[in-house]
Amino acid sequence: MTVLDPKTIAPRVGTNYPEPYRSKLGGREKRVVGDAVGLKNFGVNLVRLPPGAMSAMRHWHTRQDEFVYVLEGTAMLLSDAGKTPIPAGSCAGFPAGTPDGHCIVNETDRDVVYLEVGDRTSGDVSTYPDADMMGKFVHSWAMTRKDGSPL
Protein backbone atom coordinates (compact mmCIF):
# COMPACT_ATOMS: atom_id res chain seq x y z
CA MET A 1 0.00 0.00 0.00
CA THR A 2 1.26 3.48 -0.89
CA VAL A 3 -0.02 6.78 0.44
CA LEU A 4 1.15 9.98 -1.20
CA ASP A 5 0.29 13.58 -1.86
CA PRO A 6 -0.48 13.97 -5.60
CA LYS A 7 1.33 17.33 -5.56
CA THR A 8 4.59 15.39 -5.20
CA ILE A 9 4.07 13.84 -8.67
CA ALA A 10 5.44 15.91 -11.53
CA PRO A 11 2.61 16.84 -13.91
CA ARG A 12 2.68 15.79 -17.55
CA VAL A 13 1.78 18.83 -19.62
CA GLY A 14 0.39 18.33 -23.11
CA THR A 15 -0.28 15.08 -24.94
CA ASN A 16 1.24 12.38 -27.13
CA TYR A 17 -0.94 13.59 -30.00
CA PRO A 18 0.99 14.79 -33.03
CA GLU A 19 0.39 18.25 -34.47
CA PRO A 20 -1.94 19.77 -35.47
CA TYR A 21 -3.88 18.15 -32.60
CA ARG A 22 -1.30 18.60 -29.80
CA SER A 23 -1.61 22.38 -29.59
CA LYS A 24 -5.43 22.23 -29.35
CA LEU A 25 -5.24 20.85 -25.79
CA GLY A 26 -3.76 24.00 -24.30
CA GLY A 27 -2.04 23.63 -20.93
CA ARG A 28 -3.69 20.39 -19.75
CA GLU A 29 -1.77 18.86 -16.82
CA LYS A 30 -2.02 15.23 -15.69
CA ARG A 31 -0.57 13.77 -12.53
CA VAL A 32 -0.48 10.00 -13.08
CA VAL A 33 -1.45 9.00 -9.56
CA GLY A 34 -2.50 5.42 -10.35
CA ASP A 35 0.99 4.53 -11.58
CA ALA A 36 2.55 6.29 -8.59
CA VAL A 37 0.69 4.01 -6.17
CA GLY A 38 1.44 0.86 -8.17
CA LEU A 39 -1.88 0.23 -9.98
CA LYS A 40 -1.62 -2.09 -12.99
CA ASN A 41 -5.18 -2.85 -14.19
CA PHE A 42 -6.55 0.67 -14.45
CA GLY A 43 -5.22 4.20 -14.55
CA VAL A 44 -6.09 7.18 -12.38
CA ASN A 45 -5.05 10.70 -13.31
CA LEU A 46 -5.50 13.96 -11.45
CA VAL A 47 -6.14 16.44 -14.28
CA ARG A 48 -6.02 20.23 -14.24
CA LEU A 49 -7.48 22.17 -17.14
CA PRO A 50 -6.67 25.88 -17.11
CA PRO A 51 -9.19 28.21 -18.77
CA GLY A 52 -9.54 27.36 -22.46
CA ALA A 53 -7.88 23.93 -22.20
CA MET A 54 -9.40 20.59 -23.16
CA SER A 55 -8.88 17.01 -21.95
CA ALA A 56 -8.47 15.39 -25.37
CA MET A 57 -9.84 15.54 -28.86
CA ARG A 58 -13.41 14.23 -28.88
CA HIS A 59 -13.09 10.42 -28.86
CA TRP A 60 -14.59 7.09 -27.83
CA HIS A 61 -13.09 3.67 -26.98
CA THR A 62 -13.96 0.19 -28.26
CA ARG A 63 -12.81 -1.69 -25.12
CA GLN A 64 -11.94 0.76 -22.37
CA ASP A 65 -14.39 2.32 -19.93
CA GLU A 66 -13.74 5.88 -18.77
CA PHE A 67 -14.95 7.77 -15.69
CA VAL A 68 -14.46 11.37 -14.55
CA TYR A 69 -15.26 13.00 -11.20
CA VAL A 70 -15.01 16.79 -11.04
CA LEU A 71 -13.32 18.08 -7.88
CA GLU A 72 -13.08 21.83 -8.60
CA GLY A 73 -14.78 24.18 -11.04
CA THR A 74 -17.34 23.35 -13.70
CA ALA A 75 -16.20 21.24 -16.64
CA MET A 76 -18.09 21.21 -19.92
CA LEU A 77 -18.67 17.82 -21.49
CA LEU A 78 -18.74 17.90 -25.29
CA SER A 79 -20.40 14.84 -26.81
CA ASP A 80 -22.49 13.88 -29.82
CA ALA A 81 -25.48 15.21 -27.83
CA GLY A 82 -23.93 18.68 -27.47
CA LYS A 83 -22.68 20.46 -24.33
CA THR A 84 -23.42 19.34 -20.76
CA PRO A 85 -21.96 21.07 -17.68
CA ILE A 86 -20.34 18.86 -15.03
CA PRO A 87 -20.09 20.88 -11.80
CA ALA A 88 -17.78 20.03 -8.90
CA GLY A 89 -19.08 16.99 -7.03
CA SER A 90 -20.55 15.42 -10.19
CA CYS A 91 -19.30 12.59 -12.35
CA ALA A 92 -19.70 11.14 -15.84
CA GLY A 93 -19.05 7.70 -17.30
CA PHE A 94 -18.23 6.59 -20.81
CA PRO A 95 -18.86 2.86 -21.35
CA ALA A 96 -16.62 0.99 -23.78
CA GLY A 97 -18.05 0.38 -27.22
CA THR A 98 -20.46 3.33 -27.13
CA PRO A 99 -19.73 5.40 -30.27
CA ASP A 100 -20.31 8.81 -28.68
CA GLY A 101 -17.30 11.08 -29.16
CA HIS A 102 -16.63 13.02 -25.94
CA CYS A 103 -14.11 15.29 -24.26
CA ILE A 104 -13.96 17.74 -21.35
CA VAL A 105 -13.29 21.45 -21.92
CA ASN A 106 -12.85 24.37 -19.56
CA GLU A 107 -14.98 27.27 -20.75
CA THR A 108 -14.67 29.19 -17.47
CA ASP A 109 -12.15 31.71 -16.13
CA ARG A 110 -10.81 29.41 -13.36
CA ASP A 111 -9.12 26.00 -13.33
CA VAL A 112 -11.13 22.79 -13.57
CA VAL A 113 -9.68 19.83 -11.61
CA TYR A 114 -10.98 16.28 -11.96
CA LEU A 115 -10.09 12.63 -11.49
CA GLU A 116 -9.96 10.56 -14.66
CA VAL A 117 -10.17 6.77 -14.37
CA GLY A 118 -9.84 4.28 -17.20
CA ASP A 119 -9.01 0.63 -17.62
CA ARG A 120 -6.07 -0.68 -19.64
CA THR A 121 -7.69 -3.27 -21.87
CA SER A 122 -5.25 -4.37 -24.56
CA GLY A 123 -6.52 -4.14 -28.12
CA ASP A 124 -8.55 -1.00 -27.48
CA VAL A 125 -9.07 1.38 -30.38
CA SER A 126 -9.93 5.04 -29.88
CA THR A 127 -11.84 6.84 -32.60
CA TYR A 128 -11.69 10.63 -33.02
CA PRO A 129 -14.75 11.84 -34.97
CA ASP A 130 -13.41 15.39 -35.48
CA ALA A 131 -9.86 14.45 -36.49
CA ASP A 132 -8.09 12.24 -39.02
CA MET A 133 -6.62 10.24 -36.16
CA MET A 134 -7.12 6.94 -34.36
CA GLY A 135 -5.30 5.27 -31.51
CA LYS A 136 -4.48 1.64 -30.78
CA PHE A 137 -3.55 0.45 -27.30
CA VAL A 138 -1.40 -2.62 -26.71
CA HIS A 139 1.05 -1.65 -23.94
CA SER A 140 0.90 2.04 -24.80
CA TRP A 141 -0.94 4.25 -27.27
CA ALA A 142 0.11 4.41 -30.94
CA MET A 143 -1.55 7.13 -33.00
CA THR A 144 -2.14 6.95 -36.77
CA ARG A 145 -4.43 8.44 -39.39
CA LYS A 146 -7.80 6.71 -39.75
CA ASP A 147 -6.48 4.81 -42.79
CA GLY A 148 -3.61 3.47 -40.66
CA SER A 149 -0.89 5.63 -42.23
CA PRO A 150 1.57 7.48 -39.99
CA LEU A 151 0.78 10.95 -38.68
Side-chain angles (χ1 to χ4, degrees):
M1 176 177 67
T2 303
V3 176
L4 60 80
D5 180 345
K7 293 178 201 141
T8 64
I9 302 167
R12 290 190 324 204
V13 179
T15 177
N16 67 341
Y17 292 168
E19 288 298 352
Y21 309 113
R22 176 181 297 132
S23 57
K24 294 179 186 270
L25 270 60
R28 177 192 77 180
E29 291 183 3
K30 285 190 178 192
R31 294 178 193 269
V32 186
V33 296
D35 288 358
V37 296
L39 301 182
K40 303 288 184 220
N41 296 319
F42 63 94
V44 180
N45 299 314
L46 181 61
V47 181
R48 184 185 71 80
L49 296 180
M54 62 191 301
S55 62
M57 297 296 296
R58 237 171 35 91
H59 68 287
W60 62 276
H61 294 272
T62 58
R63 295 187 177 180
Q64 293 187 11
D65 288 331
E66 291 180 285
F67 172 85
V68 297
Y69 183 88
V70 178
L71 300 166
E72 298 175 24
T74 298
M76 186 64 70
L77 169 64
L78 302 184
S79 71
D80 290 350
K83 292 183 174 185
T84 305
I86 310 173
S90 298
C91 61
F94 310 99
T98 304
D100 184 1
H102 60 272
C103 71
I104 306 291
V105 297
N106 182 356
E107 296 183 342
T108 72
D109 60 357
R110 58 182 281 229
D111 287 355
V112 168
V113 178
Y114 63 92
L115 284 175
E116 169 184 86
V117 181
D119 68 76
R120 296 176 175 172
T121 305
S122 187
D124 182 40
V125 174
S126 58
T127 299
Y128 297 82
D130 304 326
D132 183 16
M133 182 170 65
M134 64 182 269
K136 292 184 181 177
F137 183 83
V138 179
H139 299 290
S140 63
W141 283 102
M143 309 307 282
T144 65
R145 295 188 194 290
K146 289 179 180 173
D147 67 5
S149 64
L151 280 167

